[in-house]
Amino acid sequence: MLMPSKYLKSFSLGVQKVLEYRTNFFLSLFSCIFPIIIQFFFWKAVFASSNQSMVFGYSYNQLIAYSILAILMTKLIGTGFQFEIARDIKDGGLNKYLIKPIGYFAYRICCFLGEKSIEMLAILSISMVVVWVLNLWLGFPVHSQQVLLFFCVVPFSLLLNFFIYYSLSAIAFWFIESNGAFKTFGLLATIASGGLFPLDVYSPGMQKILLMLPFNYVVYFPIQLLSGKLSMEQIGQGLVMQIMWITVFALLSSILWNTGMKKYVAVGG
């Protein structure tokens, strides 16, 4: 069944956005080098002070590999549409979608997938080169089965992050200025997802809490899979949890948006 032209057009708008700002995209990728350098010196200092070959169950090489992959993964699943949604709600830009034959959610997810289709090709290609280099430089284990499974779970990570932030964007119906909340949430979500450090560095009690939250299935779970630290049973359980959380946030976003639309004044536009 062919996708209706209105959805294809929305998808192509996302693709065009990335191509139009391709310089900005590649500069943002280049900026990932600086966090990697910081992580390199940070973990070097940690291992030097501990005088141990293993810290938090990781060797130095494993932590460097994890840090590089986490930064790339965070970039891959990152969102920015929540700020655009807040502006549409505040300025009345949402009005035109209320009379068009395409719903706002359909427009947003098609644009998001169009944008990420290009970014995913670029970042996953870079990631595979990085994994190969890590294998040669740091002895990072690479197996074709892990790589294939990684490619299977990444789209679910992407969808889960979309629905998390689409649900969050609904707060703009209740708060005039929500950008600060988005930035704060983004920082906390990055920490909770394992985007800065593997969740193993936290205390057992904190680990238990973080592993119960949906965020670890966005970054931590895919990287642990790629690193070969998970059994097939754990991978299957993780995939089921990804699908479950996607369903939960899809329902939550629908409830929040339906409630928020009742408060929407439709000023401006």
Side-chain angles (χ1 to χ4, degrees), residues 125-156:
S125 298
I126 293 171
S127 296
M128 290 304 100
V129 173
V130 167
V131 167
W132 178 72
V133 172
L134 289 174
N135 177 253
L136 297 178
W137 178 40
L138 301 177
F140 183 79
V142 180
H143 302 289
S144 57
Q145 184 182 34
Q146 292 166 206
V147 173
L148 289 174
L149 288 171
F150 176 74
F151 284 138
C152 289
V153 303
V154 165
F156 291 104

Side-chain angles (χ1 to χ4, degrees), residues 211-222:
L211 290 173
M212 290 172 61
L213 298 176
F215 307 107
N216 86 88
Y217 296 103
V218 174
V219 174
Y220 180 73
F221 168 65

